[in-house]
Amino acid sequence: MSRWLPRAYLTLVYLLLYVPIGILVLFSFNDSRSGYTWGGLSLRWYQSLFNNNAMVEAMWNSLWLALSAATVSTVIGALTALALHRYRFRGKKMLNGMLFVVMMSPEIVLAISLLALFLLVGIQLGYVSLLLAHVTFCLPFVVITVMARLSGFDERLPEAARDLGASDFTMTRTVLIPVIMPALLAGWLLGFTLSLDDVVVSTFVSGPSYEILPLRIYSMVRVGLKPEVNALGTLLLVFSLVMLMLSQWILSRSKR
Amino acid sequence: MRSLMQQPFRTAVLVLVWGWLLFLVLAPNLLVVGASVATRDPVSFISLPLNLDAYRQLFDPLYLEVFLHSLYMAAMTTLVCLLIGYPFAWALSRVPGRRQLLLIFLLIVPFWTNSLVRTYALKLLLATNGLLNSALLGLGWIDEPLKMLYTEGAVVIGLVYLLLPFMILPLYSVFDDLRQELLLASHDLGAGRVATFFHVIVPLTLPGVLAGVMLVLLPAMGLFFVPDILGGSRNLLVGNVIKNQFLDARNWPFGAAASIVLTITMAFLMFAHKLSKQRIGEDGV
Amino acid sequence: MKKTLLSLRNLTKQFDGKTVLDSLDLDIADGEFITLLGPSGCGKTTLLRLMAGFEHPDAGSISLAGEELIDVAPENRPLNTVFQHYALFPHMSVFDNVAYGLKMEKRPKDEIRQRVEEALAMVQLQDYVARKPHQLSGGQQQRVAIARAVVKRPKMLLLDEPLSALDFKLRRTMQVELKRLQRELGITFVFVTHDQEEALSMSDRVVVFKDGVVQQLGTPREVYERPANLFTARFVGETNFFPGRVEAADAGDSITVDVLGLKRTFRRPDFAVVDGQSLHVLLRPEDIRVLAPDDTEGLPGRVVERNYKGSTLDSVIHLEDGTEVLASEFFDEDDPTFDYRLGEPVRVSWVDGWEWLLPEESAAAEAEAVTDA
């Protein structure tokens, strides 16, 4: 195979992936009202975005939800990963299997099952239901991130620490936690982003009392074009990019 | 084991994790199964007696058509992703060292960006007075704007755009594991390129193909916001039907039965994936 | 020598500007077991890949029984390879792996079945036809790889460090088995290894490589007993080097050499010598004699290390001028007290005629020979 053909092909696909995003970013600075024609540079859509009180509130709601969902799922996910790694217990395979199924299931299946649960149990649709739902779909991702880290980790390190006189608690603090720290941070960032971007599950389990950003965007883009969405999309893109780069940086630095 | 963490700690962790999964995964799913065989009830959503009406309704010609159309669009999406993704993953796995890492990074950026926003970006391109039409008109390739938005094609394009990385990543992983020596061995034993492709490369990358199909086909039936934004009212996914039944029509049994169809599809794909991995001596998850 | 099967002429290969093979000439005879030996990165694997057709040379020719192979694709060359890590197809059974090459030749089903069974019987795996590679041990996988390559009845079998992944004992067994197979099949084997012991024990001829250049080509005995240069001497087996200075070069068949103050008479080497010239006197550890300190012969020294090896006793002796000598002596059945204490004074000597002389090489070449070995 000649060399330029695969290269040209890779380039083409990346172009297809990035052209729409590029146009979105470009048009977020567009002064024109129509949304399709270029009318010069302007920050007016960013301005109108931040002047929109409902939008700003939804933004804060989303950030708070993502923050709490990422934190809770990281704590539970890390404990789960440690338990799966360290302990032998009955139903371990089933636990693994359930996490895998949660990860692979179509979001909509998870969404309606949680909606059914919340309505039948009587959990009010709002922050709590969103938190429970988001933690549930973030959990498997945190678990596999931490598990991957633990599986590459020398089983004898804790033993070595104990051998050198560290107590159980000291060993956990000085060996185990530092080893899984990068995975915890990466898992947290991933959970944060998944939560911030989720549309499908949130559509079902959120209520009028707690409006979040993706749903606000959803109601805006269903009909027509809203240039504010360009601005908002650009902000989200930059935000995600920073998060992803942070997570890659943490993971790659810890490999050395 | 006991020495590494104290028993009470272990018990607490296991109770927490099991509790979470039983309450928020197992119980809700059993509820859905239950709902699918219950009777529709406008007040309490479901009621007795149990029956299979909802499953019968799946075969109602009206819905059957919607399902088949959704399946068709999902299958097209999967096929297009596979056709684009297979050579892409192959080429990607051959890119040397550091550049490969950068390219993979570029591939997962979209995974981390808001999918609604990306779908909306496509709308900017595809609309009748959108950028693609303007460009084509400007170049003189077409005389009047093409109707691209609110078509079946637009839905497939949208789904491919959102799901392509999910096809590429598992494929990349199998191509990355594919040992160059095996291809040399095949040539050495007298097989040409075509024979090597079908006898060695295809079977060894099959687990990646199936993993990719699983990661694309299922969401391609569920991502209801894609037709909402790009497809208009005639190009619905199974996801749209489920959403309508649960949120608007309040017909839980029917929505639940439709979602069980998705779950069964998933189970089937997972089983195929496991088999294909066992064939090449890896234990499937 | 038997007639030439494969002949390589002026073969040159570079990777990214680095020369891996430098205008190499080599003739391989029909039916011989020839080993390419050298440290990693010496070009031996590249040479094998050129023969198999996985690489294309920058210059030169490869001809098999007079037919030029350079532009023949690997799948059309009548040679087969046993890969370093076996390269068995993981999705195929043992049977399908071995049958693969015959299926590619579009042989009739009955013939395939019969030949695969024969090949598997030859490597004693006839009961494993239905297994998958991952259900076999390393040694069994190795046998499948060999059966898969020989079932095509190639003119030549190329083996790329085929035993390197096996443990010591299994490696020994497979060495014997490979020799047996080669005798039975009568096929030419080209064997690549970095293990000098393996090379010596298996081959009819050994090619010693370094930096893409042949250092020596000869029988195992020639390579071991009469190394062509310092590199070969150091790479193949353990060697003691004594500095020597020619005292009298004109005494017919023999010359007199001063070795650390000791005057010894040696057979005249096949390179030209003049009076006062410095040269290396090479002695294998098993040629060294360790004598009592009151002996009149030899060089005085002290034992600084002793290693009991089962059949031999290896000792390191520090000579007075600082030279370290490695001696390897067989146990003397009649002398139960045969052993040394550390620090014990001894004298070191050898039987005249067992030495091998090499001229001095450039300082750079000598330094390199040390680091490579």
Side-chain angles (χ1 to χ4, degrees), chain B residues 55-66:
Chain B
Y55 290 93
R56 241 168 257 137
Q57 203 181 347
L58 288 176
F59 294 96
D60 180 310
L62 186 73
Y63 286 110
L64 198 61
E65 198 182 327
V66 172

Side-chain angles (χ1 to χ4, degrees), chain C residues 7-159:
Chain C
S7 82
L8 312 171
R9 286 289 169 271
N10 189 34
L11 213 54
T12 302
K13 179 74 187 170
Q14 296 190 331
F15 287 118
D16 304 322
K18 188 178 172 286
T19 305
V20 183
L21 283 182
D22 198 359
S23 30
L24 177 119
D25 292 324
L26 181 66
D27 285 320
I28 295 173
D30 197 6
E32 79 171 323
F33 195 124
I34 190 166
T35 297
L36 311 179
L37 174 68
S40 59
C42 71
K44 56 192 195 300
T45 294
T46 304
L47 178 56
L48 204 74
R49 291 167 63 87
L50 284 169
M51 292 185 202
F54 303 143
E55 305 281 355
H56 202 267
D58 297 326
S61 82
I62 303 174
S63 63
L64 183 89
E67 187 202 346
E68 180 58 52
L69 282 187
I70 292 286
D71 292 318
V72 178
E75 56 265 35
N76 300 325
R77 296 191 186 196
L79 320 167
N80 287 113
T81 308
V82 176
F83 290 85
Q84 184 168 13
H85 301 291
Y86 322 137
L88 298 179
F89 303 122
H91 57 299
M92 294 181 196
S93 66
V94 167
F95 183 92
D96 288 334
N97 261 287
V98 180
Y100 190 82
L102 299 175
K103 280 182 187 152
M104 291 305 138
E105 290 177 12
K106 303 215 162 31
R107 299 272 168 197
K109 273 217 163 71
D110 291 343
E111 186 192 335
I112 292 180
R113 172 159 300 278
Q114 194 200 339
R115 278 172 67 177
V116 169
E117 276 165 6
E118 273 170 25
L120 284 174
M122 203 151 54
V123 294
Q124 283 120 42
L125 277 180
Q126 56 273 54
D127 300 331
Y128 293 82
V129 282
R131 298 267 185 108
K132 287 280 179 69
H134 65 93
Q135 295 168 315
L136 301 177
S137 70
Q140 290 167 334
Q141 292 184 23
Q142 172 69 80
R143 286 159 202 260
V144 177
I146 293 167
R148 185 176 74 174
V150 299
V151 77
K152 301 244 309 172
R153 297 180 189 148
K155 295 228 169 78
M156 196 180 237
L157 196 65
L158 309 174
L159 302 103

Side-chain angles (χ1 to χ4, degrees), chain C residues 104-370:
Chain C
M104 291 305 138
E105 290 177 12
K106 303 215 162 31
R107 299 272 168 197
K109 273 217 163 71
D110 291 343
E111 186 192 335
I112 292 180
R113 172 159 300 278
Q114 194 200 339
R115 278 172 67 177
V116 169
E117 276 165 6
E118 273 170 25
L120 284 174
M122 203 151 54
V123 294
Q124 283 120 42
L125 277 180
Q126 56 273 54
D127 300 331
Y128 293 82
V129 282
R131 298 267 185 108
K132 287 280 179 69
H134 65 93
Q135 295 168 315
L136 301 177
S137 70
Q140 290 167 334
Q141 292 184 23
Q142 172 69 80
R143 286 159 202 260
V144 177
I146 293 167
R148 185 176 74 174
V150 299
V151 77
K152 301 244 309 172
R153 297 180 189 148
K155 295 228 169 78
M156 196 180 237
L157 196 65
L158 309 174
L159 302 103
D160 185 8
E161 308 228 11
L163 308 181
S164 63
L166 302 179
D167 67 45
F168 180 75
K169 263 198 137 156
L170 200 52
R171 204 154 73 215
R172 275 295 154 86
T173 321
M174 286 307 296
Q175 284 174 8
V176 174
E177 206 154 316
L178 273 176
K179 274 304 279 183
R180 174 183 66 81
L181 262 176
Q182 197 254 343
R183 262 198 320 271
E184 282 175 13
L185 295 164
I187 309 178
T188 309
F189 274 35
V190 183
F191 189 92
V192 162
T193 184
H194 62 266
D195 180 339
Q196 41 97 9
E197 231 177 291
E198 198 166 274
L200 295 183
S201 67
M202 296 178 75
S203 331
D204 296 325
R205 289 197 301 160
V206 177
V207 190
V208 183
F209 268 95
K210 190 190 133 212
D211 299 339
V213 177
V214 172
Q215 304 292 311
Q216 188 165 6
L217 168 62
T219 63
R221 204 181 171 126
E222 282 164 356
V223 170
Y224 187 75
E225 291 184 358
R226 294 188 278 152
N229 55 30
L230 288 179
F231 173 78
T232 309
R234 284 190 217 260
F235 190 74
V236 181
E238 300 270 7
T239 309
N240 293 303
F241 292 82
F242 293 96
R245 215 169 51 77
V246 180
E247 291 272 299
D250 50 357
D253 256 1
S254 54
I255 59 172
T256 308
V257 176
D258 174 295
V259 183
L260 299 174
L262 215 63
K263 304 269 183 295
R264 301 293 285 244
T265 306
F266 295 141
R267 221 176 323 123
R268 177 181 286 278
D270 51 11
F271 54 90
V273 288
V274 292
D275 283 1
Q277 177 185 349
S278 293
L279 41 67
H280 292 284
V281 178
L282 274 58
L283 283 155
R284 298 290 182 185
E286 60 272 21
D287 296 340
I288 298 286
R289 290 284 165 270
V290 183
L291 309 170
D294 50 1
D295 216 295
T296 51
E297 229 193 303
L299 301 159
R302 275 175 196 284
V303 176
V304 294
E305 219 177 279
R306 52 171 290 280
N307 289 312
Y308 173 75
K309 284 280 183 66
S311 54
T312 60
L313 181 70
D314 291 0
S315 38
V316 178
I317 294 145
H318 217 95
L319 296 188
E320 279 171 354
D321 76 317
T323 314
E324 287 206 337
V325 179
L326 183 65
S328 177
E329 296 172 284
F330 277 96
F331 283 107
D332 185 348
E333 296 285 332
D334 302 327
D335 183 3
T337 63
F338 167 78
D339 203 348
Y340 307 107
R341 290 186 318 277
L342 292 185
E344 185 178 334
V346 290
R347 291 183 91 86
V348 168
S349 185
W350 61 87
V351 180
D352 279 336
W354 289 8
E355 77 291 329
W356 181 248
L357 301 180
L358 283 177
E360 282 209 315
E361 295 173 18
S362 70
E366 296 204 1
E368 216 181 302
V370 175

Side-chain angles (χ1 to χ4, degrees), chain A residues 1 6-7 9-10 13-14 16-21 23-24 27 35-36 72 76 79-80 82-83 86-92 94-95 98-110 112-121 123 131-133 135-136 139 141 158-159 162 168 171-172 176 186 189-190 193-194 196-200 203-204 214-215 217-218 221-227 229-230 232-234 236-237 240-241 243-245 247-248, chain B residues 1-6 9-11 13-14 16-18 20-29 31-32 44-46 83-92 95 99 102-118 120-125 127-131 134 149-150 161 164-165 168 193 211 214-215 218-219 221-225 228-229 238-240 242-243 246-247 250 252 255-256 259-260 262-263 266 270 273 285:
Chain A
M1 213 188 327
R7 215 178 271 185
Y9 183 67
L10 288 173
V13 175
Y14 277 112
L16 289 177
L17 280 176
Y18 277 90
V19 159
I21 297 178
I23 285 171
L24 178 94
F27 272 69
Y36 297 120
V72 175
I76 301 180
L79 291 174
T80 310
L82 279 173
R86 296 238 75 95
Y87 303 145
R88 241 172 285 169
F89 54 88
R90 248 188 290 165
K92 186 170 176 172
M94 188 173 157
L95 187 67
M98 269 170 92
L99 288 167
F100 185 64
V101 168
V102 173
M103 201 161 56
M104 299 305 291
S105 321
E107 285 168 286
I108 191 149
V109 173
L110 186 75
I112 58 155
S113 69
L114 286 170
L115 173 69
L117 178 82
F118 294 151
L119 289 183
L120 287 181
V121 176
I123 294 175
L131 180 66
L132 289 173
V135 171
T136 304
L139 201 57
F141 291 94
E159 289 169 12
R162 297 302 303 275
D168 229 17
M171 185 280 290
T172 309
L176 229 42
L189 289 168
L190 181 60
T193 319
L194 285 174
L196 199 61
D197 288 349
D198 173 72
V199 187
V200 175
T203 302
F204 285 83
L215 296 185
I217 302 175
Y218 189 31
V221 297
R222 283 173 86 163
V223 277
L225 289 181
K226 297 281 185 323
V229 174
N230 297 338
L232 184 58
T234 305
L236 283 174
L237 182 74
S240 305
L241 210 60
M243 298 287 264
L244 177 58
M245 271 160 42
S247 135
Q248 296 285 314
Chain B
M1 287 297 132
R2 216 197 129 266
S3 62
L4 290 170
M5 273 182 220
Q6 296 305 317
F9 183 71
R10 176 194 142 124
T11 315
V13 170
L14 289 180
L16 176 66
V17 173
W18 272 119
W20 193 283
L21 289 177
L22 291 181
F23 181 63
L24 287 152
V25 177
L26 195 65
N29 277 300
L31 256 176
V32 170
S44 64
F45 304 112
I46 48 172
L83 290 179
I84 298 178
Y86 198 83
F88 183 88
W90 195 347
L92 183 62
V95 174
R99 194 132 39 94
L102 178 71
L103 290 180
I104 292 166
F105 177 79
L106 286 177
L107 202 61
I108 49 179
V109 167
F111 175 73
W112 284 61
T113 39
N114 195 294
S115 42
L116 267 181
V117 169
R118 283 188 296 140
Y120 174 75
L122 277 182
K123 192 173 186 172
L124 273 179
L125 269 173
T128 312
N129 46 356
L131 295 169
S134 311
L149 202 58
Y150 307 125
Y161 184 55
L164 185 60
I168 291 173
R193 280 176 186 213
M214 186 154 60
L215 289 173
L218 292 169
M221 292 198 277
L223 287 176
F224 54 77
F225 58 84
D228 271 0
I229 298 172
V238 179
N240 296 77
I242 298 175
K243 176 172 162 255
F246 267 86
L247 297 184
R250 299 275 157 175
W252 279 28
S259 110
I260 283 170
L262 285 188
T263 310
M266 173 181 76
M270 278 168 83
H273 178 243
V285 187

Side-chain angles (χ1 to χ4, degrees), chain B residues 1-253:
Chain B
M1 287 297 132
R2 216 197 129 266
S3 62
L4 290 170
M5 273 182 220
Q6 296 305 317
Q7 287 295 18
F9 183 71
R10 176 194 142 124
T11 315
V13 170
L14 289 180
V15 165
L16 176 66
V17 173
W18 272 119
W20 193 283
L21 289 177
L22 291 181
F23 181 63
L24 287 152
V25 177
L26 195 65
N29 277 300
L30 291 177
L31 256 176
V32 170
V33 175
S36 74
V37 293
T39 303
R40 175 182 181 182
D41 188 306
V43 183
S44 64
F45 304 112
I46 48 172
S47 63
L48 292 169
L50 302 183
N51 58 64
L52 290 175
D53 285 354
Y55 290 93
R56 241 168 257 137
Q57 203 181 347
L58 288 176
F59 294 96
D60 180 310
L62 186 73
Y63 286 110
L64 198 61
E65 198 182 327
V66 172
F67 284 142
L68 288 179
H69 187 54
S70 168
L71 189 66
Y72 168 76
M73 286 190 291
M76 283 307 287
T77 302
T78 312
L79 190 67
V80 173
C81 282
L82 186 61
L83 290 179
I84 298 178
Y86 198 83
F88 183 88
W90 195 347
L92 183 62
S93 71
R94 292 296 139 82
V95 174
R98 285 192 76 80
R99 194 132 39 94
Q100 196 181 68
L101 287 180
L102 178 71
L103 290 180
I104 292 166
F105 177 79
L106 286 177
L107 202 61
I108 49 179
V109 167
F111 175 73
W112 284 61
T113 39
N114 195 294
S115 42
L116 267 181
V117 169
R118 283 188 296 140
T119 315
Y120 174 75
L122 277 182
K123 192 173 186 172
L124 273 179
L125 269 173
L126 298 177
T128 312
N129 46 356
L131 295 169
L132 196 56
N133 267 321
S134 311
L136 291 175
L137 284 168
L139 287 167
W141 290 5
I142 52 174
D143 296 327
E144 52 186 279
L146 299 173
K147 181 176 165 52
M148 291 181 281
L149 202 58
Y150 307 125
T151 60
E152 185 184 284
V155 175
V156 173
I157 290 174
L159 290 171
V160 168
Y161 184 55
L162 293 185
L163 299 170
L164 185 60
F166 293 90
M167 177 62 86
I168 291 173
L169 289 173
L171 283 173
Y172 163 75
S173 145
V174 285
F175 272 115
D176 198 44
D177 287 347
L178 184 66
R179 283 163 49 214
Q180 206 54 33
E181 255 192 355
L182 292 177
L183 309 188
L184 294 183
S186 173
H187 289 306
D188 187 70
L189 293 165
R193 280 176 186 213
V194 177
T196 301
F197 180 74
F198 285 108
H199 286 112
V200 181
I201 298 179
V202 168
L204 287 179
T205 52
L206 196 61
V209 171
L210 288 170
V213 167
M214 186 154 60
L215 289 173
V216 171
L217 189 71
L218 292 169
M221 292 198 277
L223 287 176
F224 54 77
F225 58 84
V226 176
D228 271 0
I229 298 172
L230 300 173
S233 57
R234 278 192 308 170
N235 299 297
L236 299 177
L237 302 184
V238 179
N240 296 77
V241 175
I242 298 175
K243 176 172 162 255
N244 291 340
Q245 297 305 319
F246 267 86
L247 297 184
D248 306 327
R250 299 275 157 175
N251 186 349
W252 279 28

Side-chain angles (χ1 to χ4, degrees), chain A residues 55-70 127 130 134 192 195-198 202 210-217 236 239, chain B residues 114:
Chain A
M55 182 67 89
V56 173
E57 199 195 319
M59 238 184 262
W60 284 118
N61 281 346
S62 261
L63 278 178
W64 174 241
L65 174 66
L67 208 74
S68 42
Y127 173 72
L130 280 166
H134 283 212
F192 187 91
S195 164
L196 199 61
D197 288 349
D198 173 72
S202 305
Y210 201 83
E211 191 180 30
I212 53 172
L213 201 55
L215 296 185
R216 175 122 204 119
I217 302 175
L236 283 174
F239 191 71
Chain B
N114 195 294

